[in-house]
Amino acid sequence: MEQSVVDVKDLSRSFGDKTALDRVSFRATAGQVYGLVGSNGAGKTTLLKHLLGLLRPTTGSVRIFGLDPVRDPVGALGRIGYLSEEHELPEWMRIDELMRYTQAFHPTWDAAYARELLETFALDPSSKVKDLSKGMRAQTGLIAAVAHRPELLILDEPSSGLDAVVRRDILDAIVRAVADDGRTVIFSSHLLDEVERMSDHVTMIHQGRVTLSGALDDVRGSYQRSRVHFVDHLDRAPVLDTALAMDGGGRSWTVIHSGPIEQFRRSAGARGGEIVESRDATLEEIFLARAGRSRQHTEVA
Amino acid sequence: MDITINLTDGVPIYRQIVNQVKYLVASGLLRPGEELPPIRTLALQLKVTPNTIVKAYGELEISGVIHKRQGSGTFVSEGRPQQVALRERRRVIEQRIDGLLAEAHQLNFTAEEVLRMVRERKAAMDESTAAPAEVRKELSR
């Protein structure tokens, strides 16, 4: 079997009596991009912090390149690049000082790449971190995260609150890490169109649990969105086999469903409904359906 | 290369790229021998994961539309559109047949029965079609 870059098994984590992660398993292999989606507070950041060894599992295990990041932080962290959502950086440093400081931890630091990015972003190396705008902080943090060409790049909500130009810079860095160096990228985002474009695999977390995980094209292919016309006027959404979410009213309803379409067709037919149009659901439609109706478990094939 | 990604129509991104490159080649907007953008360039342009481009180029290579030259890039293939078209046409029909057989199985029909029904439907269509001879010839080809 291919060597895992990340292997999380049955990870649970509680803060006091609050369960933040509940038996989460997650695997990542080299050269792939993993998108992590979920509502605020679903557990995405908590999962990412476990990968970095910043949190210790209550139960279960976390392995990065086969190493335990809590017990061997030097071995694991040296091979990871990380950009946090808040872009936490040492406020008192100048950009060039921060670059030298980060370089000291990373023998693989690529000074030419760092210089190229500084120029592309039009950052002044003598600027103090505390004087930077939010976008410039993100760009500075990004250089510090990628210039040692890490084997694993972890980005927590990298686009959050940023303008289109800086979002573009971040996507470019993801593309370069994968295309130039065959690196692995894990990023969380609430921008589902960004996840849909940039991910090879998607994992959905809801209330601390993985509700859906797989290759993006497989996930998309296993959920359909159908328009159904009913003979009768329906005041409430009918209960239909394999249906996860329903929208509409009267005789016309739009349904997100998974599983064999024949089963759905029969179930709709029994209520006097006919499918008039069907296509694969978008990630956003799947996400809304899964987040809204999490008690109904219909697994991805 | 002028390619547009649409996230709302439910077609996988790699397939959208495959279809549009095929269209560009078929319509002559991409000529035989012309070089396609490198994977990284097209990924940056379309803002998609590079692996999606790898998958799309791989599929285009298998169907003979493009080919890789060691160390120099990816190029539109010369000619042979007939063969490509046949393989592609077969693939489309085979996908439909697979779906039909799966559905028939769920409804308890054997492949034999399905074949017979296909012939019956065809005969019924032929009878009801008052089409000119050349159209009918086209249909029965």
Side-chain angles (χ1 to χ4, degrees):
Chain A
M1 194 163 67
E2 220 177 326
Q3 158 84 43
S4 297
V5 174
V6 173
D7 198 357
V8 173
K9 283 199 187 109
D10 280 329
L11 169 64
S12 292
R13 170 76 203 200
S14 309
F15 297 108
D17 57 0
K18 191 185 175 304
T19 304
L21 293 175
D22 186 4
R23 283 163 294 159
V24 167
S25 292
F26 175 83
R27 217 175 142 246
T29 53
Q32 302 285 302
V33 182
Y34 293 80
L36 207 55
V37 299
S39 318
N40 287 335
K44 303 186 299 276
T45 298
T46 308
L47 173 59
L48 295 180
K49 284 189 169 166
H50 277 89
L51 304 185
L52 296 158
L54 298 174
L55 291 172
R56 191 183 294 272
T58 306
T59 58
S61 70
V62 175
R63 292 290 177 275
I64 309 292
F65 313 108
L67 305 168
D68 179 344
V70 174
R71 298 179 66 178
D72 189 358
V74 177
L77 283 182
R79 297 159 75 176
I80 299 177
Y82 172 57
L83 183 63
S84 72
E85 185 177 359
E86 295 81 19
H87 315 120
E88 296 126 346
L89 299 168
E91 300 294 326
W92 66 91
M93 283 192 191
R94 294 170 15 155
I95 290 180
D96 52 3
E97 288 167 344
L98 174 66
M99 294 299 141
R100 277 199 297 277
Y101 172 80
T102 314
Q103 181 171 10
F105 290 96
H106 297 289
T108 57
W109 186 265
D110 184 340
Y113 187 27
R115 251 196 323 275
E116 182 205 320
L117 290 176
L118 276 171
E119 275 169 32
T120 307
F121 300 160
L123 290 170
D124 176 2
S126 64
S127 303
K128 277 242 166 67
V129 167
K130 67 173 168 57
D131 298 328
L132 299 177
S133 69
K134 186 165 167 56
M136 292 159 110
R137 292 175 75 90
Q139 289 168 322
T140 305
L142 186 66
I143 300 173
V146 301
H148 62 292
R149 299 195 177 271
E151 289 165 73
L152 171 62
L153 180 59
I154 297 177
L155 310 164
D156 192 4
E157 291 284 355
S159 299
S160 184
L162 297 175
D163 62 42
V165 174
V166 183
R167 284 212 305 272
R168 168 95 210 194
D169 292 338
I170 288 166
L171 296 187
D172 284 5
I174 295 178
V175 168
R176 289 183 68 165
V178 176
D180 296 353
D181 303 326
R183 301 314 200 194
T184 310
V185 179
I186 301 173
F187 76 108
S188 69
S189 178
H190 63 280
L191 299 176
L192 292 168
D193 58 339
E194 194 172 284
V195 173
E196 197 156 357
R197 282 172 178 270
M198 289 307 304
S199 313
D200 300 305
H201 304 264
V202 62
T203 295
M204 204 173 273
I205 298 189
H206 186 62
Q207 295 174 347
R209 288 188 188 182
V210 172
T211 52
L212 192 160
S213 190
L216 185 70
D217 288 338
D218 294 346
V219 168
R220 294 259 335 254
S222 52
Y223 288 81
Q224 279 77 44
R225 173 193 184 275
S226 297
R227 283 201 303 122
V228 185
H229 278 180
F230 291 89
V231 178
D232 299 323
H233 182 100
L234 302 173
D235 291 328
R236 267 190 292 171
V239 176
L240 300 176
D241 276 359
T242 75
L244 292 162
M246 245 176 259
D247 202 10
R251 297 183 53 221
S252 181
W253 294 79
T254 301
V255 187
I256 307 297
H257 56 98
S258 68
I261 187 148
E262 233 2 82
Q263 192 181 344
F264 176 72
R265 194 191 303 280
R266 269 201 303 274
S267 179
R271 294 295 309 267
E274 191 195 351
I275 300 176
V276 292
E277 188 194 353
S278 209
R279 60 158 170 81
D280 284 353
T282 66
L283 195 57
E284 176 146 25
E285 288 161 348
I286 297 169
F287 176 75
L288 290 173
R290 297 297 314 218
R293 296 284 289 276
S294 58
R295 280 145 288 146
Q296 258 180 299
H297 283 290
T298 313
E299 300 301 330
V300 183
Chain B
M1 197 159 60
D2 190 13
I3 288 181
T4 321
I5 302 298
N6 180 348
L7 293 180
T8 59
D9 68 0
V11 177
I13 296 174
Y14 83 92
R15 179 139 301 285
Q16 294 186 32
I17 297 169
V18 166
N19 291 343
Q20 290 182 50
V21 170
K22 281 183 178 170
Y23 168 78
L24 291 172
V25 170
S27 62
L29 289 167
L30 273 176
R31 294 177 183 287
E34 202 170 318
E35 185 173 6
L36 270 70
I39 284 159
R40 174 186 162 190
T41 308
L42 190 56
L44 288 173
Q45 181 197 323
L46 301 178
K47 293 192 205 168
V48 301
T49 156
N51 294 310
T52 292
I53 313 290
V54 171
K55 198 169 172 182
Y57 278 13
E59 187 143 317
L60 285 163
E61 196 172 12
I62 287 169
S63 54
V65 178
I66 63 173
H67 62 275
K68 286 195 193 84
R69 265 185 236 151
Q70 201 59 47
S72 69
T74 306
F75 300 85
V76 178
S77 296
E78 306 281 340
R80 295 202 321 164
Q82 280 299 323
Q83 283 181 32
V84 172
L86 173 65
R87 213 178 308 158
E88 187 57 24
R89 274 155 57 212
R90 274 195 70 111
R91 200 184 60 78
V92 171
I93 292 298
E94 279 167 1
Q95 273 183 351
R96 303 295 292 265
I97 293 174
D98 292 352
L100 175 66
L101 287 174
E103 245 172 72
H105 179 72
Q106 279 185 345
L107 297 170
N108 279 326
F109 289 107
T110 66
E112 263 36 70
E113 287 171 317
V114 172
L115 264 177
R116 204 175 61 229
M117 285 156 79
V118 169
R119 285 201 201 92
E120 283 169 10
R121 295 299 304 155
K122 178 74 173 71
M125 271 180 174
D126 285 353
E127 259 176 43
S128 67
T129 315
E134 58 272 26
V135 175
R136 221 182 284 174
K137 213 171 91 194
E138 191 67 30
L139 274 170
S140 58
R141 210 185 259 169

